[in-house]
């Protein structure tokens, strides 16, 4: 399986990443990606950029070094109703929108609370991807999550960074396998995001690919292998 795109990366603007936009693009070109999304953390993540940063993404090119570029945001889900930390007027301008649960922004809830948060975020028409739903600190009912993603036409992310040895997320591999089995059962597409915070990790999907092979997950349900499948889930 050849992966041609990466939908989840961060630059120095996110406050705890270490490469520039151009450095990330260069890394994507070296790895022969066809599409790269840069999705900075939204304002409520400590140290990240503020609303003015997202309002000015229009000045950036949408193609460089032969790569299609998407500029967007990784929103913070702020409560168990699924509210997020950018206003609609800015979400309307984003090329791609991920919504995730992060410890600095929302407490670890019960299964019911976490499901309410994720489904609330899915109901937001500007959200395209649910980021790293594999973190065991935020337990969920994975079949219910998969069926909600199907209902609201959202992509679920397999976060490759969650699967790395240094990851602080809990039980990610086991949770991804559980989620993917339900995705396979209900024919719900997923996308792999590197969650790269440095150029070395751009386009890194190897750990996720191992899981796909292990459970014989169909390539037709992986948006990284088909740019048109990804674009069908985006608003722009």
């Amino acid at each position: 399986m050849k992966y041609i795109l990466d939908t989840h990366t961060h630059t120095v603007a996110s406050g705890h990443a270490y490469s520039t936009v151009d450095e990330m693009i260069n890394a994507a070109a070296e790895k022969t990606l066809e599409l790269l999304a840069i999705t900075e953390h939204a304002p409520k993540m400590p140290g990240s950029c503020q609303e003015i940063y997202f309002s000015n993404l229009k000045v950036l090119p949408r193609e460089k070094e032969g790569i299609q570029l998407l500029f967007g945001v990784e929103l913070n889900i702020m409560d168990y109703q699924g509210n997020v930390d950018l206003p609609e007027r800015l979400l309307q301008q984003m090329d791609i929108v991920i919504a995730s649960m992060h410890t600095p922004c929302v407490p670890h809830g019960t299964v019911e609370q976490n499901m309410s948060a994720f489904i609330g975020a899915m109901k937001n028409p500007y959200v395209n991807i649910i980021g790293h739903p594999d973190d065991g600190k935020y337990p969920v009912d994975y079949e219910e999550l998969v069926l909600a993603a199907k209902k609201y036409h959202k992509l679920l992310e397999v976060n490759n960074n969650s699967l790395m040895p240094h990851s602080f997320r809990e039980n990610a591999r086991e949770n991804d396998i559980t989620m993917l089995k339900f995705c396979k059962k209900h024919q719900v597409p997923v996308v792999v995001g590197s969650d790269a915070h440095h150029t070395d990790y751009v386009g890194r999907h190897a750990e996720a690919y191992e899981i796909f092979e292990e459970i014989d997950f169909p390539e037709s349900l992986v948006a990284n292998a088909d740019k048109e499948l990804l674009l069908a889930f985006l608003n722009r």
Side-chain angles (χ1 to χ4, degrees), residues 13-14 33 40 45 54 57 61 65 77 88 101 103 110 117 138 150 161-162 170-171 186 188 195 197 228 232:
S14 281
L33 295 184
E40 307 296 4
M45 177 64 74
F54 297 100
L57 289 176
E65 298 191 33
I77 298 174
E88 182 177 346
M101 303 270 269
T103 300
T110 64
Y138 294 100
K150 186 170 189 175
N161 193 42
S162 297
E170 295 179 0
N171 302 316
H186 296 292
V188 173
D195 203 355
H197 287 62
E228 294 308 312

Side-chain angles (χ1 to χ4, degrees), residues 2-4 22-36 64-67 198-204:
K2 176 177 170 52
Y3 291 146
I4 59 174
D22 282 346
E23 287 168 345
M24 298 297 269
I25 294 170
N26 291 339
E30 289 173 3
K31 296 178 182 180
T32 66
L33 295 184
E34 296 180 15
L35 181 148
L36 175 69
K64 193 169 184 177
E65 298 191 33
I67 301 170
H198 183 266
T199 54
D200 284 355
Y201 295 94
V202 172
R204 178 163 180 166

Side-chain angles (χ1 to χ4, degrees), residues 64 107 116 131 233:
K64 193 169 184 177
S116 176
F233 281 84

Side-chain angles (χ1 to χ4, degrees), residues 1 19 41 50 54 57-58 66 70 75 106 108 130 139 165 182 193 208 219 223 234:
M1 186 185 298
S19 304
H41 284 289
Q50 299 303 303
F54 297 100
L57 289 176
K58 60 184 178 291
L70 301 175
L75 296 169
V106 63
H108 305 154
I130 296 298
F182 285 124
E219 180 178 341
L234 303 187

